[in-house]
Amino acid sequence: MTAATPSPLFPAVPDSPDAVLDGLDPEQREVATALHGPVCVLAGAGTGKTRAITHRIAYGVRAGVYQPASVLAVTFTNRAAGEMRGRLRGLGANGVQARTFHSAALRQLQFFWPKAVGGELPRLVERKVQLVAEAAARCRVRLDRNELRDVTAEIEWAKVTQTVPEDYPAAVAKSAREAPRDAAEIGRIYGLYEQLKRDRAVIDFEDVLLLTVGILEERPDIADTVRRQYRHFVVDEYQDVSPLQQRLLELWLGDRDSICVVGDASQTIYSFAGATPDHLLNFRTRHPHATVVKLVRDYRSTPQVVHLANGLLAQARGRAAEHRLELVSQREVGPEPVYTEYADEPAEAEGVARRIRELLDAGVPASEIAVLYRVNAQSEIYEQALADASVPYQLRGAERFFERPEVREAGLALRGAARAGGNDTLLTDAVDLPSQVRAVLGGIGWTPDPPAGSGAVRDRWESLAALVRLAEEFARARSGATLADFVAELDERANAQHAPTVEGVTLASLHAAKGLEWDAVFLVGLTDGTVPITYARTDEQIEEERRLLYVGVTRARRHLSLSWALSRSPGGRGGRRPSRFLEGLRPGSPTGGGRTGGGGGVERAGAGRTRRRRGPVRCRVCGRTLTDPGEMKLMRCEGCPSDLDEELYERLREWRSIRARELGQPAYCVFTDKTLMAIAENLPDSEAELARIPGVGGRKLQRFGADVLALCAGEEIGADDRADAGEHTHEQADEDVPESVTEAVTNLPEK
């Protein structure tokens, strides 16, 4: 039998407790061997904190100091908890509980509710927006979509900071928090929301923590039961703990001190959701005899990227900045960060897509490239630019890998083939595990070569291709593995939400990128007003925006590009300024009070372009200044009267579907629904008028302008009229992606 080949995805399980410590640097080893008493790990970005704490747990279990079932490791996202479970399994520490705060609390609440309260636990409402909307309506308060989202976030903040409705206005004033509406009004909505939940016997995610805290405080017998079960605690991303989560942790711990916390105050970016670094920074005050270990060896990023990251923090102010960690890169020298200035946002998106294409041609996998932006609404223009460049992409925050329809279908097919064994004709010519998986997945549409274009067909292929690559890695790491073994591996990964890598450029907000890393990162839209965001006004809010950019920079291993656009649309007034956080860091910029980041250079794309001056975008009905991207496309408020030509709108949608099929792209890559609505409302009769509609840039004007103007004029468009030189037609199902795909969503750590 051939020996198994080591694999980064399936490492060999260490054969002894001491082998668990192999490969750790001195500081990581100090963490791993500090098994008793309170431990505080201050870990900079890319310093191997997850490696250190998982090896600590595994070493304690393998050495017999910890019983696996007595350890509870908590973090903030299902993905992070799944990764932790996967690593612990690979280190031979099966049976350790690694969960999010909400998941751990919900399990306890479900178990103890009948004993503590009686009956069944109330139903959990996963989306509270509808109830908040109803509460607002009963208060006779009209909220648009963005206001509804903001008020919902305020209610969540109030609950995790343990603020009751009647105290909300005072709490807002004390914290200098800027409420999205009148604080008394939000307090009334909050109070009625709570009443609606009681009337309907439902609870929300924050209630899960509140109720668990309440039961543990009021029932010492139940608290003792939990403490007998869990004797050792590990808390990842401790800088993101809310006051409510900290209270729950204290109740779990009791009067014991077997706790290890890990965090970095410089990566506190969720204060809007109640997170505070104070618990991390005050840990040594609460535990004077704690072991404190600092991890500063950066194994992720090149010296050039680390130098820029350190430069960003050198300009920071406030308490978190006083405890910043100076990273030291452990990697070889790489390219300097690239700074690029563009005339407008479409030019920026096209420039980024062009650079990504160059990286792909140079051999960088698509899955190792990311485009990161401040708000989710910025993704749309990059989706379009990447689709036009035939670059596959995936939106971070979309449905989980194992919940995708094609992955579920593949799992059923693989499970059926494993049960049939030699009786399955698909496996007749398959000689090993990878060929068996390829044969089974070939029966549901997988092919060795990817389909042309992007969209749903390409997304399906990428999911199946990820399973094929995982089977190849599994076979290399587990010599003699069978199809049944692979199915069991998939089941374990699905339970842990430990997804394989999908080949596609990642599009994500800076908040959603936390905890991830790529070979190449493009930080886009870096203008004042976006980074920092317009509504960040206090010193604390500005510093959090700086930390958010720091998180973005430290996601890059080797290639880092930073860019900004001087105006939103082609021909717009180029009055934007690069982010103030780059001052003293980008070449040629004034010193911002910290040290400079050497190297690199500022490229000005299209610097010679003549620009037409343009003021703010105003509603063409009521004259209000517009800030919502969807309203700016329509050039009117959502609630203002519409003069939509519905017949033209439907003809435009039908034409778009045909063009999308011909190009092998999703329909929204031709024009979004909002852009088509704006066209059908404005009825442009010239290229100049069409070009003034947001969403119709120079590239799309040249490509689709003649068709759109002909449709607006009442003409019919035939196949000959649609033919573009050099374009090829690909068969693809029409997929009219709704606007909601690219609408902003709340970036809460877990939900």
Side-chain angles (χ1 to χ4, degrees), residues 317-554:
R317 300 291 182 267
R319 190 179 180 208
E322 293 171 1
H323 295 80
R324 65 179 177 267
L325 300 168
E326 186 86 3
L327 300 178
V328 181
S329 176
Q330 307 296 300
R331 292 197 57 180
E332 71 284 354
V333 171
E336 295 286 351
V338 175
Y339 301 82
T340 310
E341 182 177 280
Y342 292 93
D344 50 66
E345 289 183 3
E348 184 179 12
E350 291 173 4
V352 168
R354 186 166 54 250
R355 288 180 179 272
I356 288 175
R357 172 49 64 190
E358 292 170 358
L359 287 173
L360 294 174
D361 293 342
V364 179
S367 59
E368 290 296 346
I369 303 173
V371 178
L372 307 181
Y373 34 76
R374 176 60 180 85
V375 294
N376 286 296
Q378 293 173 268
S379 74
E380 181 179 22
I381 195 168
Y382 291 94
E383 294 175 53
Q384 295 174 347
L386 292 175
D388 287 347
S390 298
V391 174
Y393 65 86
Q394 55 178 331
L395 279 172
R396 182 75 192 167
E399 62 184 335
R400 297 175 183 172
F401 179 83
F402 288 103
E403 293 174 2
R404 298 176 185 176
E406 63 271 20
V407 175
R408 289 173 179 256
E409 183 183 359
L412 290 173
L414 289 168
R415 186 169 285 102
R419 283 198 299 266
N423 297 323
D424 193 324
T425 56
L426 283 174
L427 306 181
T428 302
D429 298 323
V431 296
D432 55 15
L433 175 60
S435 61
Q436 290 175 339
V437 172
R438 286 192 288 266
V440 173
L441 299 187
I444 61 171
W446 177 82
T447 57
D449 298 316
S454 58
V457 173
R458 180 63 183 247
D459 290 345
R460 177 183 172 86
W461 184 89
E462 293 288 357
S463 297
L464 298 180
L467 294 175
V468 171
R469 288 191 298 272
L470 186 67
E472 292 168 350
E473 285 281 352
F474 188 69
R476 282 194 291 270
R478 304 282 192 269
S479 179
T482 66
L483 192 56
D485 295 331
F486 182 63
V487 169
E489 173 67 23
L490 289 180
D491 288 341
E492 289 196 37
R493 282 176 166 261
N495 291 333
Q497 287 300 325
H498 187 192
T501 301
V502 175
E503 279 302 322
V505 173
T506 299
L507 297 177
S509 70
L510 288 166
H511 282 100
K514 179 75 166 63
L516 304 175
E517 59 185 78
W518 297 270
D519 282 347
V521 169
F522 291 81
L523 300 176
V524 301
L526 300 182
T527 59
D528 257 10
T530 304
V531 183
I533 200 74
T534 305
Y535 53 75
R537 296 186 177 92
T538 67
D539 290 343
E540 288 185 2
Q541 290 169 339
I542 294 294
E543 287 306 318
E544 179 148 342
E545 292 288 303
R546 188 194 307 276
R547 294 194 296 269
L548 190 57
L549 182 56
Y550 171 79
V551 166
V553 167
T554 55

Side-chain angles (χ1 to χ4, degrees), residues 592-605:
R595 70 186 201 184
T596 60
V602 178
E603 302 177 6
R604 288 177 173 80

Side-chain angles (χ1 to χ4, degrees), residues 275-295:
T276 170
D278 290 347
H279 305 300
L280 174 67
L281 299 178
N282 295 335
F283 189 84
R284 282 170 287 184
T285 302
R286 298 195 309 275
H287 302 281
H289 304 296
T291 299
V292 179
V293 184
K294 293 184 179 180
L295 303 182

Side-chain angles (χ1 to χ4, degrees), residues 580-616:
R580 70 190 74 171
F581 299 145
L582 299 181
E583 291 181 359
L585 300 174
R586 61 183 177 88
S589 64
T591 302
R595 70 186 201 184
T596 60
V602 178
E603 302 177 6
R604 288 177 173 80
R609 178 182 299 182
T610 302
R611 303 184 186 92
R612 178 169 55 84
R613 299 179 68 84
R614 176 180 293 178

